[in-house]
Amino acid sequence: EVLEQFPSSPGQVSPLLFFVALQAAGAVPQVRGLCGVEGSPRLVIMDVDKGKRYVFPHTANVDEGSIRSFVEAFLAGELTAEPLTTQS
């Protein structure tokens, strides 16, 4: 539903993919480690190609409007990037 709200052309691949973790199993601990986040709920945009992450403030309310604003700010280049963390 979220992707349908953003403009695209026929045959165009979306610039965004979504990953939702309901349990801390499988790849979830590794993804959280790369993003440098703990606890739930957390919202992070990862730009793996550039080795960057954009972390939604953990003190902010996570709801449809705040998620939409966060994604729109990312697409507009308005967010401050942080490096993806390295895991040891």
Side-chain angles (χ1 to χ4, degrees), residues 9-44:
S9 302
Q12 179 184 12
V13 176
S14 170
L16 302 173
L17 298 175
F18 292 87
F19 175 79
V20 176
L22 301 177
Q23 297 179 1
V28 174
Q30 291 87 357
V31 172
R32 284 183 174 266
L34 281 171
C35 294
V37 298
E38 295 179 1
S40 292
R42 294 308 305 256
L43 178 61
V44 178

Side-chain angles (χ1 to χ4, degrees), residues 69-79:
S69 295
F70 184 61
V71 171
E72 288 172 346
F74 168 74
L75 293 173
E78 299 170 351
L79 298 179

Side-chain angles (χ1 to χ4, degrees), residues 3 10 16 21 29 44 51 54-55 67 76 79-80 82 85 88:
L3 289 176
L16 302 173
V44 178
Y54 304 84
V55 181
I67 294 170
L79 298 179
T80 302
E82 301 173 24
T85 61
S88 47

